[in-house]
């Protein structure tokens, strides 16, 4: 029996992946440009957390059955291996060095490794009392250790609370309760959500020197221990906790602002994995050739963000999905035993 898709979540997926592409477009243009810095910090403060949270929302906290175990292989592990091999070839073409190390993900592929681990770990974590609180403690404590990016460990532990947060939102039935609200109540919540987002943008814009000094970019990426960017004090974890709480507020504001009904981009929310895996092959050569690198005027930065949105739409279209489906969603039925095989 097929499950009807909910427009809200497809809209949220598309919005999250569009922000991700925009963030990757901006990364090398930040420098000393205050406008780019403001936009970058705003996006990076929540664009990965919201993507992780939405993934957690659709992950069951029960022991996985055969179907879910297969999906980890077909939807995550095999595409990860395929694209790691492709990236090894691409990097060889650009820098002449061939390196294939499946334990250390290339650029954005860390998310696939992390997603596989989160899906495996979640049933065991939610079997404990207060799984969200425990995941927060794990993330905060992990920052005190020199954990590297082998198997994306630093990010797996750092972003873990957002995955559990997404699962928790479903346990609280917040999605259903939100969809059931009347239009008047929705409008009030959206005004509040807009105020939250606007306040954060203003705060960033008015405190750029301070945010640069505290190295906010290192905190919001969750990819290294505190000591690696100069925080060896006992209270360093409070910086991560603060960014985590802000991200949680922004996740909720983002989901509140997302349309609940069908829109022109709802269909594109079903192809986020294609955008995620393919957009880097467009951005990487542009970054390496200086098009998306260095100090740029405001109009250039805004144009790059607009074009990144266009790229997100293009990579979500049916022709692209059809062309790259063998790589992103390979048919691996031949790899698994059937229920009849198991009985024999």
């Amino acid at each position: 029996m097929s499950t009807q898709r909910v427009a809200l979540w497809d809209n949220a997926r598309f919005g999250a992946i569009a922000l991700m592409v925009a963030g990757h477009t901006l990364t090398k243009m930040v420098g000393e440009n205050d406008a780019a810095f403001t936009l970058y910090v705003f996006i990076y403060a929540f664009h990965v957390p919201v993507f992780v949270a939405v993934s957690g929302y659709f992950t069951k906290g029960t022991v996985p059955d055969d179907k879910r175990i297969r999906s980890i292989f077909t939807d995550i592990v095999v595409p990860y291996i395929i694209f790691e091999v492709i990236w090894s070839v691409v990097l060889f073409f650009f820098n002449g060095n061939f390196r294939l190390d499946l334990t250390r993900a290339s650029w954005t592929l860390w998310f696939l490794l992390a997603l596989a681990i989160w899906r495996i770990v979640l049933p065991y974590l939610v079997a404990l009392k207060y799984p969200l609180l425990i995941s927060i403690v794990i993330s905060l404590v992990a920052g005190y250790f020199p954990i590297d990016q082998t198997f994306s460990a630093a990010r797996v532990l750092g972003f873990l609370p957002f995955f559990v947060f997404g699962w928790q939102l479903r346990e609280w039935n917040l999605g259903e309760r939100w969809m059931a609200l009347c239009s008047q109540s929705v409008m009030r919540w959206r005004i509040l959500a807009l105020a939250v987002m606007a306040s954060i943008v203003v705060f960033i814009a008015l405190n750029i020197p301070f945010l640069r000094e505290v190295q906010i970019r290192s905190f919001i990426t969750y990819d290294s221990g505190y000591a690696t960017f100069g925080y060896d004090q006992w209270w360093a974890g409070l910086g991560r906790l603060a960014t985590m709480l802000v991200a949680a507020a922004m996740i909720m504001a983002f989901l509140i602002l997302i349309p609940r009904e069908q829109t022109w981009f709802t269909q594109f929310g079903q192809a986020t994995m294609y955008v995620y895996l393919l957009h880097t092959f467009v951005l990487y050569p542009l970054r390496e050739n200086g098009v998306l690198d260095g100090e740029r005027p405001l109009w250039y930065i805004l144009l790059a963000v607009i074009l990144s949105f266009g790229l997100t739409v293009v990579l979500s279209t049916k022709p692209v999905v059809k062309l790259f489906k063998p790589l992103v969603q390979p048919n691996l039925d031949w790899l698994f035993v059937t229920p009849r095989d198991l009985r024999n």
Side-chain angles (χ1 to χ4, degrees):
M1 182 175 65
S2 62
T3 303
Q4 185 177 3
R5 299 186 72 95
V6 179
L8 167 67
W9 295 108
D10 281 333
N11 294 338
R13 288 187 182 96
F14 177 78
I17 198 65
L19 285 169
M20 185 171 292
V21 177
H24 292 158
T25 301
L26 287 171
T27 301
K28 284 199 168 185
M29 293 192 291
V30 175
E32 298 300 318
N33 187 303
D34 288 351
F37 181 86
T38 300
L39 189 57
Y40 173 92
V41 171
F42 176 76
I43 292 175
Y44 264 79
F46 80 104
H47 86 283
V48 174
V50 76
F51 207 72
V52 174
V54 171
S55 299
Y57 186 90
F58 288 98
T59 301
K60 295 180 180 179
T62 56
V63 177
D65 54 19
D66 290 346
K67 183 178 179 180
R68 285 168 59 194
I69 292 173
R70 291 185 183 192
S71 72
I72 292 176
F73 279 97
T74 59
D75 300 345
I76 303 174
V77 175
V78 172
Y80 170 75
I81 295 172
I82 290 173
F83 278 86
E84 270 296 336
V85 172
I86 294 173
W87 262 112
S88 296
V89 175
V90 170
L91 294 176
F92 174 75
F93 176 79
F94 274 92
N95 58 36
N97 295 319
F98 183 84
R99 182 189 66 85
L100 178 60
D101 183 357
L102 296 179
T103 69
R104 300 181 72 87
S106 300
W107 198 2
T108 61
L109 292 180
W110 70 265
F111 181 79
L112 293 184
L113 273 180
L115 184 58
I117 295 171
W118 290 328
R119 286 188 178 182
I120 293 170
V121 168
L122 184 66
Y124 302 97
L125 185 59
V126 301
L128 306 174
K129 287 185 177 181
Y130 318 116
L132 181 57
L133 178 60
I134 292 172
S135 68
I136 292 172
V137 171
I138 290 173
S139 177
L140 297 180
V141 171
Y144 289 99
F145 294 90
I147 302 172
D148 63 14
Q149 289 306 322
T150 302
F151 290 110
S152 303
R155 287 190 175 108
V156 167
L157 299 174
F159 284 111
L160 176 63
F162 299 111
F163 193 78
V164 180
F165 180 56
W167 170 85
Q168 191 72 71
L169 292 180
R170 187 162 187 165
E171 291 296 299
W172 290 331
N173 292 319
L174 288 189
E176 290 78 1
R177 290 159 64 182
W178 173 245
M179 294 298 293
L181 281 182
C182 65
S183 299
Q184 188 175 7
S185 297
V186 168
M187 183 57 65
R188 287 197 292 265
W189 277 106
R190 284 180 172 164
I191 292 172
L192 177 60
L194 192 60
V196 169
M197 290 299 209
S199 298
I200 292 172
V201 171
V202 171
F203 175 82
I204 295 171
L206 295 180
N207 293 275
I208 291 175
F210 168 74
L211 293 174
R212 288 187 187 276
E213 182 179 353
V214 300
Q215 301 188 68
I216 190 62
R217 291 178 64 181
S218 296
F219 275 110
I220 60 181
T221 52
Y222 297 83
D223 61 352
S224 56
Y226 314 131
T228 61
F229 52 95
Y231 285 86
D232 55 2
Q233 302 88 346
W234 66 266
W235 47 262
L238 296 178
R240 175 169 289 188
L241 180 61
T243 57
M244 203 178 293
L245 294 175
V246 171
M250 295 178 78
I251 289 171
M252 296 305 297
F254 171 83
L255 294 176
I256 289 171
L257 291 171
I258 286 292
R260 300 189 299 174
E261 64 281 348
Q262 288 277 340
T263 67
W264 64 269
F265 57 82
T266 302
Q267 60 179 321
F268 299 142
Q270 301 179 30
T272 52
M273 188 60 75
Y274 288 81
V275 180
Y276 185 82
L277 291 173
L278 298 175
H279 79 279
T280 50
F281 294 101
V282 178
L283 297 185
Y284 182 76
L286 297 178
R287 286 167 47 147
E288 291 300 303
N289 292 325
V291 177
L292 297 177
D293 197 357
E295 295 292 329
R296 299 292 182 178
L298 178 59
W299 69 266
Y300 193 101
I301 293 168
L302 295 178
L303 178 61
V305 171
I306 293 171
L307 292 177
S308 76
F309 180 80
L311 175 62
T312 304
V313 172
V314 169
L315 295 180
S316 303
T317 57
K318 291 180 179 179
V320 172
V321 170
K322 183 178 181 180
L323 179 62
F324 290 98
K325 187 172 184 178
L327 296 178
V328 179
Q329 293 179 301
N331 186 340
L332 298 174
D333 290 342
W334 56 270
L335 184 61
F336 299 99
V337 296
T338 63
R340 179 179 299 177
D341 295 329
L342 291 175
R343 288 196 298 270
N344 293 337

